[in-house]
Amino acid sequence: MANDRPSVMLKRPKLVITAVVAACFGFSLGAAEWAQADAPAAPALAISTDTVPQKALVALPDFTPIIDRYGPAVVNISSTTNKVIHQQANPFPPNSPFYQFFHHFMAPGQGGGSGPQQHEKIQSLGSGFIISPDGYIVTAGHVVRGANHIVVTLTTHHAYPAKLIGLSVRYDTALLKIDAKNLPTVPIGNSDDLKVGQWLLAVGAPFGFYNTVTQGVVSAMNRPLPDDEYIPFIQSDVPINPGNSGGPLFNMNGQVVGINDQIYTNSGGYMGLSFSIPINTVMRVVQDFKNHKAIQFGYLGVEVQDVTPQMAQALHLQEPVGALIASVEPGSPAAKAGIRPGDVIVTYDNKPVYNVGQLPPMVGNTLPGTHAKVGILHRGEAETKDVLIAALPKNMEGPSGNQEPSTAAKVGKISRMGIHVQSLTPNMEKQLDVHHGVVVVGVSEGAAAEAGIMPGMIIQQIDQQDVNSPAELEHIVAGLPAGQPIPLLVRQGKASIYVVVTLPKK
């Protein structure tokens, strides 16, 4: 959200309407005055002051004490990033009258190949807040990511060069340090205490308008976003715009409860949906930065997906809630605790899990080495697993490859599904790190195609029964009912997912 400042034009309204109206009706007013010159004067209208309210009838929040006390601790952050631009070669010499025209309007890919590289300076603007008198400042990570030069400006207009102490991309949080003393600071609150409907206050520099104050209420808590799976966002209707990023989100006690981070927009500006990083998540990262410790994320070792109503029916669940486990990493904390594909996680550390987006931040924010109680539904029956959470491995990406199935392997036809499958080769098991299943080598019209099955996918389970060979798959399919949703676990590349297949009559 840290963008270049757009040009803005402000216009003063022209106060000429009253004069025009008076000019148009001047003769009528004069005639009226002449006609009523001898008329008796009308009595003065008496207004009772008893009916005028002396104070507000409805109590509204007054934000001025917060701004007076903690406004000076909010800072503006400008950063400069060098961007490399590959220019196309100009066919005209610099002294040619056509050089400048061709230089500006030549389309990419035209001309005599790539020209020299040029470095363009990109300036961005954001906000932040001071957390210690000796100059530690918190902001959003994307405000200063990749910056070559960072400047922090206080409300006193004093500007300081800033040093980047630490930056987390996963948590989009950065810690800066300036060389100053006796600075004003903000108090840190507890974002876990926030409730939907509570008042909030944001301070920042939207579109470069410094020290702008906006207000709203908490709209939702623990809101997951697709590109930030480790952050349980605070959703609000506080108006924030480009330039607000990194600024504080205050509660009514004057405590910072979040960092303003993102908006949902189709126009580039505020549309009523704002998202802030909870301060509890932020300060966990900040403390690691200050202590020069590596940031660790909790690791469970599962791939999860949403439970759709159709999937809930296929898994014999009463409600479509929780996170459905599509795969379990061998040797992971989940595997050691006995959690299996097809299980549905409905609670984590005694907190409910209503959808798949809630689980990653819960696990990621768990300190490695901590025991967590994980509530699951296994074939519809409730169980509780005690899981020792590990640290997220530094390299989660294993060897990848789309191996073509061997033509020498035996191919089986599953007519009821409309597919041809074959056994896994040892090379595929090693490359994809799978140990059971059959490879789909052909798909025709039928139940599998309607479920989205494509050649190259690996069928690992059907009706929560493991599949190890084409013959075994054919045997299981033969005994399944027609017209009912059946859970089917498939793997494509390194990812596993459940789909629902409805079989026809035999």
Side-chain angles (χ1 to χ4, degrees), residues 268-462:
Y270 169 75
M271 294 182 65
L273 295 173
S274 305
F275 300 94
S276 304
I277 308 171
I279 198 63
N280 291 13
T281 301
V282 170
M283 294 310 295
R284 173 175 172 261
V285 179
V286 167
Q287 290 302 323
D288 287 342
F289 287 152
K290 293 185 71 173
N291 297 329
H292 304 286
K293 293 172 56 178
I295 299 174
Q296 291 186 321
F297 301 88
Y299 172 63
L300 186 60
V302 296
E303 288 182 338
V304 290
Q305 66 182 85
D306 267 324
V307 180
T308 64
Q310 192 178 22
M311 183 63 71
Q313 184 181 359
L315 296 174
H316 309 289
L317 304 179
Q318 294 182 353
E319 294 179 290
V321 297
L324 173 61
I325 299 176
S327 69
V328 178
E329 189 72 19
S332 66
K336 294 176 181 178
I339 297 177
R340 292 149 287 187
D343 292 344
V344 179
I345 298 178
V346 291
T347 63
Y348 180 85
D349 198 23
N350 299 319
K351 298 177 182 177
V353 178
Y354 296 109
N355 56 64
V356 67
Q358 291 180 285
L359 186 62
M362 289 180 175
V363 177
N365 288 325
T366 304
L367 292 176
T370 303
H371 285 268
K373 298 291 185 182
V374 180
I376 65 169
L377 296 176
H378 177 68
R379 295 183 178 273
E381 298 294 328
E383 298 180 11
T384 301
K385 302 291 185 180
D386 184 71
V387 183
L388 178 61
I389 300 300
L392 181 71
K394 294 183 179 180
N395 185 8
M396 292 293 294
E397 296 181 1
S400 61
N402 296 322
Q403 294 291 324
E404 293 294 331
S406 172
T407 56
K410 183 178 179 180
V411 177
K413 180 180 180 182
I414 315 297
S415 301
R416 201 175 177 202
M417 295 182 67
I419 56 174
H420 288 78
V421 296
Q422 71 172 43
S423 300
L424 291 174
T425 65
N427 202 20
M428 294 177 66
E429 291 182 356
K430 180 180 179 181
Q431 289 287 338
L432 299 175
D433 194 23
V434 294
H435 307 287
H436 69 278
V438 293
V439 184
V440 178
V441 294
V443 180
S444 57
E445 292 185 7
E450 293 174 358
I453 303 301
M454 297 181 293
M457 289 184 173
I458 299 173
I459 297 177
Q460 294 184 293
Q461 279 186 3
I462 186 167

Side-chain angles (χ1 to χ4, degrees), residues 151-334:
V151 175
V152 171
T153 305
L154 308 184
T155 55
T156 58
H157 304 291
H158 286 88
Y160 299 87
K163 178 182 178 182
L164 179 62
I165 302 300
L167 188 150
S168 171
V169 176
R170 287 184 183 271
Y171 284 137
D172 198 23
T173 298
L175 180 66
L176 307 178
K177 178 70 168 65
I178 62 175
D179 187 11
K181 296 180 180 179
N182 301 321
L183 296 175
T185 62
V186 296
I188 303 300
N190 184 357
S191 52
D192 290 341
D193 292 338
L194 282 177
K195 304 295 182 183
V196 174
Q198 289 183 340
W199 284 98
L200 296 170
L201 189 72
V203 185
F207 298 112
F209 292 100
Y210 298 142
N211 307 324
T212 296
V213 179
T214 53
Q215 53 80 28
V217 298
V218 179
S219 302
M221 293 295 297
N222 301 316
R223 182 72 77 191
L225 296 181
D227 297 331
D228 300 276
E229 60 179 358
Y230 282 90
I231 304 176
F233 283 98
I234 303 167
Q235 180 186 331
S236 72
D237 66 347
V238 179
I240 63 176
N241 285 288
N244 272 113
S245 283
L249 188 70
F250 288 98
N251 62 15
M252 291 299 96
N253 295 326
Q255 300 169 324
V256 176
V257 291
I259 292 181
N260 299 316
D261 191 68
Q262 299 184 38
I263 57 175
Y264 180 87
T265 178
N266 291 326
S267 62
Y270 169 75
M271 294 182 65
L273 295 173
S274 305
F275 300 94
S276 304
I277 308 171
I279 198 63
N280 291 13
T281 301
V282 170
M283 294 310 295
R284 173 175 172 261
V285 179
V286 167
Q287 290 302 323
D288 287 342
F289 287 152
K290 293 185 71 173
N291 297 329
H292 304 286
K293 293 172 56 178
I295 299 174
Q296 291 186 321
F297 301 88
Y299 172 63
L300 186 60
V302 296
E303 288 182 338
V304 290
Q305 66 182 85
D306 267 324
V307 180
T308 64
Q310 192 178 22
M311 183 63 71
Q313 184 181 359
L315 296 174
H316 309 289
L317 304 179
Q318 294 182 353
E319 294 179 290
V321 297
L324 173 61
I325 299 176
S327 69
V328 178
E329 189 72 19
S332 66

Side-chain angles (χ1 to χ4, degrees), residues 25-39:
F25 292 93
F27 290 107
S28 298
L29 289 174
E33 291 175 357
W34 175 79
Q36 298 180 5
D38 299 329

